[in-house]
């Protein structure tokens, strides 16, 4: 039976796609896993692979054409098979064909699939970012039996990029939870079932459990930490008579990151349970900041005798997994090389002082570096490129990503059209994005689309370091701290202030001379900030 393939949704915001290139042609034999085409989405150009075997019988969208998600892209079937009915049929029959084929692949018998009662909606683990392959339910905000309305937040889901709220698009009663708090599951695994109260969904639950066990190895639920026994000075915290603090896993994590004693937080959740918003809006009292507080007690590690080896296993977060995959792919595929220069920061320091004397103005050295990079990229477009096997893409716009350290790793929020921003606009935007990053409030859109990246460890006293390129960028700038040292100026040794910056380049797109010329221009801007106004 022929299989109809529609334009896929390759990102959470994708509404239409462009077929950048077909890698197969009509009549070619296709195997499962073969790359059919390169499809340009709203975020990137991505390879689209086949999940079916057969012969490519029809191409519905030619190279360079744009089409909405779910429009007929291709048909795969047996050689010589009559597909006129599919070509003349409506989109509904095409979609039904794909679903039937997928059912045949993933289940022993199409008739084994349970019927879904009227009014019941099956919700699966959503794909909340374009790179998300699995998600962890950080906390459920609804429980089985609760009434759910469209727009209600069902759960907080940890993806590879952020912890995001997942809302319901349906009205009804929460009849079943398929993935418990703390559990990790792949995209499209049964997450929940919503429908009329009292509806029997046992057949759907059993079917979902079978499919899940067949497609993925069960994930062990993290062992809960020992209940903290805390001596509380006041009754403002959310606890039972036994001293246990009731809080969602995400609230506990945020509290641990911020050093907040949960015993001091008043919960607004059900039965006084502490939820994320309670921790984020919590203001420590004066007594809490005194050295006498007992909040530090749970952080004490068990004593390990000298000479005895010991390990503690901590489950990798989705963000940490994504960082590992992305940086490994960059380091092992892009040939990195590094160029370092030393910048005289005397004029930059004087300029920053004058700027910050203005009312309601605060500019950092990092803001000046970001602005200088944006200006330099204008003059050196070779550094503002992206590599693919067939073409080098020159970005006509400049959007700089700024690396921000968060408890789980490193995220890179992006400043769109950075070259069009003033220093104060850059400073305000970086500050806002950094706060959102640390609170896990960044959206995937705010972390995508960069054409160049800046990583600054100067605030930690690091004088010089190298970074791994943030793909698909061609370069990343590593910024060190400003060092007071003797320098030669006008033939005399005087006290100066210098800063080292290192440019990591992808040698496939940026040659040594191109990288060096970019750094020369960057140096001119930083050493004479007034030239950025010219």
């Amino acid at each position: 039976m022929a299989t109809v393939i529609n334009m896929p949704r390759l990102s959470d915001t994708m509404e239409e796609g462009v077929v950048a290139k077909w890698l197969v042609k009509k009549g070619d034999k296709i195997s499962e896993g073969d790359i059919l085409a390169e499809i340009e989405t709203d975020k990137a150009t991505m390879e689209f692979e086949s999940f079916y075997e057969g012969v490519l019988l029809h191409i519905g969208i030619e190279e360079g054409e744009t089409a909405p998600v779910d429009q007929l892209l291709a048909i795969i079937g047996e050689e010589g098979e009559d597909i006129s009915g599919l070509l003349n049929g409506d989109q509904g029959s095409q979609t039904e064909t794909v679903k039937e084929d997928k059912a045949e692949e993933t289940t022993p018998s199409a008739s084994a699939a349970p019927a879904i009662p009227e009014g019941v909606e099956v919700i699966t683990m959503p794909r909340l970012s374009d790179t998300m392959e699995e998600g962890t339910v950080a906390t459920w905000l609804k429980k089985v039996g609760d009434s759910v309305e469209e727009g209600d937040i069902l759960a907080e889901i940890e993806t590879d990029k952020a912890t995001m709220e997942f809302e319901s698009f349906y009205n009804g009663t929460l009849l079943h939870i398929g993935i418990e708090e703390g559990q990790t599951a792949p995209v499209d695994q049964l997450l929940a079932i919503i429908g009329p109260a009292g509806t029997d969904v046992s057949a759907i639950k059993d079917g979902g459990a079978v499919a899940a066990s067949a497609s993925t190895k069960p994930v062990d639920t993290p062992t809960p930490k020992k209940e903290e026994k805390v001596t509380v000075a006041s009754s403002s915290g959310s606890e039972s008579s036994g001293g246990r603090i009731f809080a969602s896993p995400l609230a506990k994590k945020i509290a641990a990151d911020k050093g907040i004693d949960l015993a001091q937080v008043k919960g607004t959740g059900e039965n006084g349970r502490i939820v994320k918003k309670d921790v984020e809006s919590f203001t420590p009292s004066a007594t809490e900041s005194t050295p006498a507080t007992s909040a530090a007690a749970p952080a004490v590690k068990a004593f390990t005798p000298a000479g005895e080896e010991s390990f503690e296993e901590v489950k990798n977060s989705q963000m940490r997994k994504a960082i590992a995959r992305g940086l490994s792919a960059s380091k092992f595929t892009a040939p990195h090389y590094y160029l370092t220069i030393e910048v005289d920061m005397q004029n930059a320091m004087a300029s920053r002082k004058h700027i910050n004397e203005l009312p309601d103005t605060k500019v950092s050295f990092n803001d000046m570096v970001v602005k200088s990079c944006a200006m330099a990229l204008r003059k050196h477009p070779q550094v503002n490129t992206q590599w693919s096997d067939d073409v080098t893409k020159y970005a006509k716009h400049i959007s700089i990503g700024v690396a921000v350290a968060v408890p789980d790793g490193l995220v890179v929020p992006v400043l769109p059209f950075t070259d069009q921003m003033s220093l104060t606009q850059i400073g305000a935007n970086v500050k806002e994005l950094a706060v959102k990053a640390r609170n896990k409030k960044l959206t995937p859109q705010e972390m995508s689309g960069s054409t160049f990246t800046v990583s600054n460890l100067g605030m930690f006293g690091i004088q010089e370091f190298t970074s791994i390129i943030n793909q698909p960028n061609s370069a990343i700038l590593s910024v060190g701290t400003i060092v007071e040292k003797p320098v030669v100026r006008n033939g005399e040794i005087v006290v100066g202030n210098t800063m080292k910056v290192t440019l990591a380049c992808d040698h496939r797109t940026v040659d040594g001379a191109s990288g060096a010329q970019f750094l020369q221009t960057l140096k001119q801007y930083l050493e004479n900030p007034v030239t950025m106004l010219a």
Side-chain angles (χ1 to χ4, degrees):
M1 179 184 292
T3 300
V4 173
I5 301 174
N6 296 328
M7 172 66 75
R9 187 183 300 276
L10 297 175
S11 80
D12 50 314
T13 58
M14 177 179 171
E15 296 181 356
E16 61 182 12
V18 179
V19 177
K21 182 179 182 182
W22 280 101
L23 302 180
V24 291
K25 62 182 183 295
K26 185 176 177 180
D28 283 357
K29 185 175 181 181
I30 307 297
S31 299
E32 183 177 350
D34 285 354
I35 305 300
L36 297 179
E38 293 177 347
I39 296 178
E40 184 178 347
T41 73
D42 56 341
K43 293 182 176 179
T45 298
M46 306 174 69
E47 295 180 337
F48 177 58
E49 68 180 69
S50 173
F51 297 99
Y52 310 99
E53 295 184 350
V55 174
L56 184 60
L57 302 176
H58 175 73
I59 288 177
I61 306 171
E62 297 295 336
E63 287 186 2
E65 290 185 352
T66 301
V69 168
D70 292 334
Q71 183 168 314
L72 174 62
L73 176 66
I75 300 178
I76 294 176
E78 297 180 2
E79 188 172 0
E81 184 175 352
D82 182 12
I83 58 172
S84 57
L86 294 175
L87 294 176
N88 298 327
D90 58 24
Q91 189 66 15
S93 64
Q94 294 170 6
T95 304
E96 184 178 347
T97 303
V98 174
K99 290 182 178 177
E100 290 174 356
D101 288 344
K102 287 185 177 179
E104 291 173 4
E105 284 192 10
T106 57
T107 60
S109 169
S111 62
I116 298 177
E118 184 177 357
V120 171
E121 299 291 346
V122 176
I123 301 173
T124 58
M125 174 65 76
R127 188 182 300 276
L128 297 175
S129 78
D130 51 316
T131 56
M132 177 179 170
E133 296 179 356
E134 59 183 10
T136 300
V137 177
T139 182
W140 278 102
L141 303 180
K142 296 285 186 180
K143 63 180 185 297
V144 173
D146 283 356
S147 178
V148 178
E149 295 184 1
E150 183 178 352
D152 284 355
I153 304 300
L154 294 178
E156 291 173 334
I157 297 177
E158 181 187 350
T159 74
D160 55 343
K161 293 182 176 179
T163 297
M164 305 175 68
E165 294 178 336
F166 177 58
E167 67 180 65
S168 173
F169 297 98
Y170 310 103
N171 296 321
T173 299
L174 184 58
L175 303 174
H176 173 69
I177 287 177
I179 305 170
E180 298 296 335
E181 287 187 359
Q183 286 188 330
T184 300
V187 169
D188 293 334
Q189 182 164 318
L190 176 63
L191 176 66
I193 301 175
I194 293 176
T199 305
D200 181 11
V201 294
S202 56
I204 304 176
K205 290 192 295 184
D206 295 340
V210 171
S213 62
S215 62
T216 182
K217 181 179 177 181
V219 179
D220 294 333
T221 304
T223 304
K225 296 180 181 178
K226 293 183 179 179
E227 296 175 3
E228 298 174 356
K229 302 294 184 180
V230 184
T231 302
V232 185
S234 68
S235 60
S236 61
S238 301
E239 59 176 323
S240 67
S241 58
R244 178 181 177 184
I245 298 176
F246 293 95
S248 72
L250 185 59
K252 290 179 180 179
K253 185 179 187 308
I254 295 174
D257 293 342
K258 294 185 174 183
I260 295 175
D261 179 8
L262 284 175
Q264 304 295 325
V265 181
K266 183 174 179 61
T268 60
E270 188 171 359
N271 297 322
R273 186 171 186 250
I274 300 172
V275 294
K276 179 178 69 170
K277 65 179 181 180
D278 300 326
V279 180
E280 291 179 340
S281 61
F282 174 68
T283 302
S285 62
T287 57
E288 185 186 6
S289 60
T290 61
T293 180
S294 61
V300 177
K301 300 290 185 180
F303 174 71
T304 302
E308 182 177 320
E309 294 183 351
S310 177
F311 296 94
E312 178 185 2
E313 292 188 357
V314 178
K315 183 180 177 182
N316 292 328
S317 67
Q318 298 303 309
M319 181 181 293
R320 177 55 63 185
K321 291 178 184 177
I323 291 171
R325 287 194 301 266
L327 295 185
S328 296
S330 177
K331 187 67 174 177
F332 299 144
T333 59
H336 286 54
Y337 72 93
Y338 307 94
L339 302 171
T340 301
I341 60 169
E342 191 168 22
V343 181
D344 186 344
M345 294 296 288
Q346 180 183 14
N347 291 335
M349 294 173 71
S351 297
R352 176 175 176 265
K353 181 180 178 181
H354 291 315
I355 292 172
N356 287 343
E357 288 174 352
L358 298 173
D360 302 321
T361 303
K362 185 68 174 178
V363 170
S364 69
F365 288 114
N366 191 65
D367 301 334
M368 300 178 78
V369 171
V370 171
K371 178 65 174 178
S372 299
C373 288
M375 300 289 287
L377 288 170
R378 280 184 184 175
K379 296 187 175 182
H380 303 281
Q382 190 70 40
V383 184
N384 204 43
T385 54
Q386 297 176 6
W387 168 266
S388 65
D389 288 337
D390 297 319
V391 298
T392 297
K393 294 173 65 175
Y394 286 76
K396 299 298 185 181
H397 61 286
I398 295 169
S399 296
I400 294 182
V402 181
V404 175
V406 296
D408 284 343
L410 192 73
V411 295
V412 185
V414 180
L415 301 173
F417 310 108
T418 318
D419 56 321
Q420 300 174 22
M421 294 182 179
S422 65
L423 280 171
T424 52
Q425 288 175 325
I426 290 173
N429 279 278
V430 168
K431 184 177 180 180
E432 179 184 358
L433 290 170
V435 170
K436 293 178 72 173
R438 296 186 182 104
N439 291 331
K440 290 192 171 182
K441 291 290 188 179
L442 283 175
T443 65
Q445 293 88 337
E446 290 172 324
M447 292 185 285
S448 56
S450 67
T451 62
F452 185 85
T453 306
V454 172
S455 179
N456 191 337
L457 291 179
M459 65 286 293
F460 298 107
I462 302 301
Q463 296 185 22
E464 183 180 353
F465 68 103
T466 59
S467 301
I468 297 175
I469 297 170
N470 180 32
Q471 296 288 336
N473 298 173
S474 286
I476 182 171
L477 188 75
S478 305
V479 184
T481 190
I482 297 176
V483 177
E484 188 176 55
K485 58 183 284 188
V487 298
V488 177
R489 188 175 293 128
N490 298 325
E492 297 181 355
I493 298 177
V494 297
V495 176
N497 292 275
T498 65
M499 178 180 74
K500 288 186 178 180
V501 296
T502 299
L503 185 70
C505 302
D506 184 342
H507 219 316
R508 296 174 300 180
T509 49
V510 183
D511 294 327
S514 299
Q517 290 164 1
F518 171 84
L519 285 178
Q520 284 180 341
T521 302
L522 178 70
K523 180 182 172 77
Q524 292 171 2
Y525 283 135
L526 285 173
E527 291 188 341
N528 299 283
V530 70
T531 58
M532 285 190 281
L533 304 175

